[in-house]
Amino acid sequence: MTMILERMARARRTPLQSLVPADARAAYTLGAEVLDPPRAPLARVEDFTLAAGDGAPLPARLYAPSHDRLPVMLYLHGGGFTIGNLETHDSLCRQFALRAGAAVVALDYRLAPEHRFPTAVDDSWAALRGLAGLGDRLGLDMGRLAVGGDSAGGTLAAVCALLARDAGLRIALQVLVTPGTIAHADTPSHARFAHGFLLDAEVIEWFFGQYIDRADRDDWRFAPMNAGELEGVAPACVVLAECDPLVDEGVAYADRLRASGVDVALELYRGVTHDFIKMARMLPEASQAQQAIADALRRAFQS
């Protein structure tokens, strides 16, 4: 992990917060899969669209290791609600599908600042509801449905799990990889890992500024820790990195889920940073985390 950080520092890339969003997206896309393994071949990789709540078509991509009627996880990519797309997380989604023996549908929800809060939430929830009704069209078992995501996508997945509970939509598992769960970056880990650990404090604030007004940050759809009740939400697989500004809030959310009677599998990987899940070419911890998630999905879909 130290070697990766040193190489990144030597590359002297322009910080994302110094770029306009369009250029930040291009830069992130260019380097997003450098540390991922090569894209694994799968029996099915198909692009299609899901409808947003306002009718806008949202690009989506289906990954499946076979043509069987498989259970499915809706996956929501990270990127601070501002960057990221289907391409940046393609390798990761293939690994989840291959390892879990399940289908994965990745969503290209609309990004800030063009589409500010709560658009990403609304798009994710509309996609989850829409996906649940597409079993016959896609040849998948929508009776076994999960939702997951990393970083900002983990926040969206946690919110979708709460919305699904309230709507009576059964979710087998919520997969939360290094999620943001609090309204303000004010935990000890945000101070401890503010600089030099991949996700610097300045870029976090830049992401937040692109996405949401400060007056809205206490909304639970941005900060799931502020949700009134967590009882009855789907079981959770929470994957965290030790050297991550977001680690404290991830642990706190897992603890609150447990205190609310929710079944939680918490995996904390030592000595790695935010976004480590996408570094399996070099980090064994990334492969271990991907397998842990796959195993959790298999168990959830069999129950």
Side-chain angles (χ1 to χ4, degrees), residues 7-276:
R7 286 183 178 181
M8 288 179 173
R10 286 199 299 270
R12 296 184 179 275
R13 294 189 178 93
T14 303
L16 292 179
Q17 66 269 23
S18 300
L19 301 172
V20 297
D23 290 344
R25 290 170 194 152
Y28 181 59
T29 300
L30 187 64
E33 289 194 328
V34 169
L35 297 177
D36 278 307
R39 295 181 176 185
L42 295 172
R44 296 179 67 186
V45 179
E46 302 168 10
D47 288 347
F48 66 107
T49 61
L50 290 163
D54 62 6
L58 302 174
R61 184 171 296 165
L62 166 66
Y63 304 89
S66 74
H67 291 275
D68 296 337
R69 194 173 181 85
L70 300 172
V72 61
M73 173 174 65
L74 176 69
Y75 196 78
L76 306 165
H77 68 77
F81 311 100
T82 307
I83 61 176
N85 53 56
L86 297 180
E87 301 304 325
T88 61
H89 286 64
D90 188 277
S91 174
L92 181 62
C93 288
R94 289 171 186 258
Q95 287 297 318
F96 289 146
L98 188 65
R99 293 169 182 264
V104 174
V105 169
L107 178 70
D108 201 2
Y109 55 87
R110 289 174 289 185
L111 299 174
E114 297 88 345
H115 302 281
R116 290 173 62 83
F117 174 84
T119 303
V121 173
D122 294 342
D123 285 357
S124 300
W125 173 230
L128 186 63
R129 285 181 299 155
L131 188 61
L134 291 179
D136 290 338
R137 174 184 158 191
L138 297 176
L140 300 173
D141 181 3
M142 297 304 174
R144 293 182 291 167
L145 180 62
V147 63
D150 61 284
S151 193
T155 305
L156 295 171
V159 172
C160 280
L162 287 161
L163 291 169
R165 176 203 61 186
D166 295 343
L169 175 62
R170 183 183 182 277
I171 300 297
L173 186 70
Q174 53 176 319
V175 175
L176 312 181
V177 181
T178 60
T181 68
I182 61 174
H184 307 284
D186 55 3
T187 64
S189 62
H190 274 281
R192 185 179 307 118
F193 303 114
H195 297 99
F197 296 89
L198 189 71
L199 185 64
D200 286 355
E202 291 80 5
V203 77
I204 293 174
E205 187 57 34
W206 183 76
F207 284 143
F208 286 4
Q210 299 298 318
Y211 179 56
I212 190 168
D213 294 339
R214 187 168 292 274
D216 292 332
R217 288 192 189 180
D218 287 311
D219 191 308
W220 70 268
R221 294 170 298 170
F222 174 71
M225 276 290 288
N226 289 351
E229 299 291 343
L230 300 184
E231 286 82 357
V233 75
C237 173
V238 182
V239 172
L240 305 176
E242 180 187 16
C243 304
D244 181 359
L246 277 57
V247 66
D248 286 353
E249 62 203 81
V251 171
Y253 194 66
D255 284 348
R256 189 166 171 225
L257 286 169
R258 282 182 175 143
S260 300
V262 178
D263 186 16
V264 177
L266 174 62
E267 304 281 349
L268 174 62
Y269 290 86
R270 301 291 182 178
V272 294
T273 69
H274 195 80
D275 214 31
F276 84 98

